[in-house]
Amino acid sequence: EPEVTQTPSHQVTQMGQEVILRCVPISNHLYFYWYRQILGQKVEFLVSFYNNEISEKSEIFDDQFSVERPDGSNFTLKIRSTKLEDSAMYFCASSQESGSAHEQFFGPGTRLTVL
Amino acid sequence: QKEVEQNSGPLSVPEGAIASLNCTYSDRGSQSFFWYRQYSGKSPELIMSIYSNGDKEDGRFTAQLNKASQYVSLLIRDSQPSDSATYLCAVNKRGGGSYIPTFGRGTSLIVHP
């Protein structure tokens, strides 16, 4: 069964460093998402991406964040200058449907630890 | 008012019982509603989606939606210890041009043998 994959599973970085989190969405899906979940808290929407551009973004997704689909398979989230409060699980998700249906399938996540 | 509200629990039910999980949402324009299951340390896993008022059944799971009351629920029949997890309610609310998925904090379910 096709699934969303994410690498790395765990990333440790120093405050102020740049990190790139990678995702390979399900191959025939058209909509891509990034979420974060701080330990013990709810899943928070960061950004959605469709047709090579951002569809929606939350207040969390400020100028320190960017997304890219550099080729036909990868979808990346870059954090330019990490802060301690960026420590969280980052989930990538993808969906096939258009409109509001958007049944999303999540990857296993990347645990980001900022020291 | 929180956008998507869930009782954090834990909700404890005996094996074989019906577990009832509830969720309310604030945006009347929301069109799509989802239930995810999340085991500790894992990613959310889609269980059910519902778009119209009424009930939708899939195996042991039934989702119920009442848009007038802004209420969505999930019933789990014949609960099993393996159902013990956090259940997340998610609502697609309308954004600037598309939809913004909004999650509740989740309800912790414990099914005891």
Side-chain angles (χ1 to χ4, degrees), chain A residues 10-14 83-84 86-88 111-115:
Chain A
H10 191 186
Q11 174 89 48
V12 181
T13 190
Q14 295 291 326
K83 307 183 190 70
L84 295 176
D86 293 328
S87 295
R111 180 173 299 284
L112 176 64
T113 302
V114 182
L115 302 175

Side-chain angles (χ1 to χ4, degrees), chain A residues 2 38 45 48 103:
Chain A
I38 295 170
F45 169 78
S48 59
E103 284 189 350

Side-chain angles (χ1 to χ4, degrees), chain B residues 69-80:
Chain B
S69 301
Q70 294 173 246
Y71 175 92
V72 58
S73 66
L74 180 70
L75 300 178
I76 306 174
R77 287 181 298 283
D78 188 24
S79 296
Q80 301 298 310

Side-chain angles (χ1 to χ4, degrees), chain A residues 19-58:
Chain A
V19 295
I20 298 176
L21 310 183
R22 291 182 167 81
C23 168
V24 178
I26 294 173
S27 62
N28 63 344
H29 283 189
L30 303 175
Y31 298 81
F32 314 118
Y33 310 83
W34 283 102
Y35 296 87
R36 80 171 185 193
Q37 187 174 32
I38 295 170
L39 186 63
Q41 299 191 24
K42 67 177 184 176
V43 175
E44 298 176 289
F45 169 78
L46 294 178
V47 66
S48 59
F49 193 86
Y50 170 69
N51 200 25
N52 282 321
E53 60 183 28
I54 290 174
S55 302
E56 298 285 348
K57 60 182 181 179
S58 71

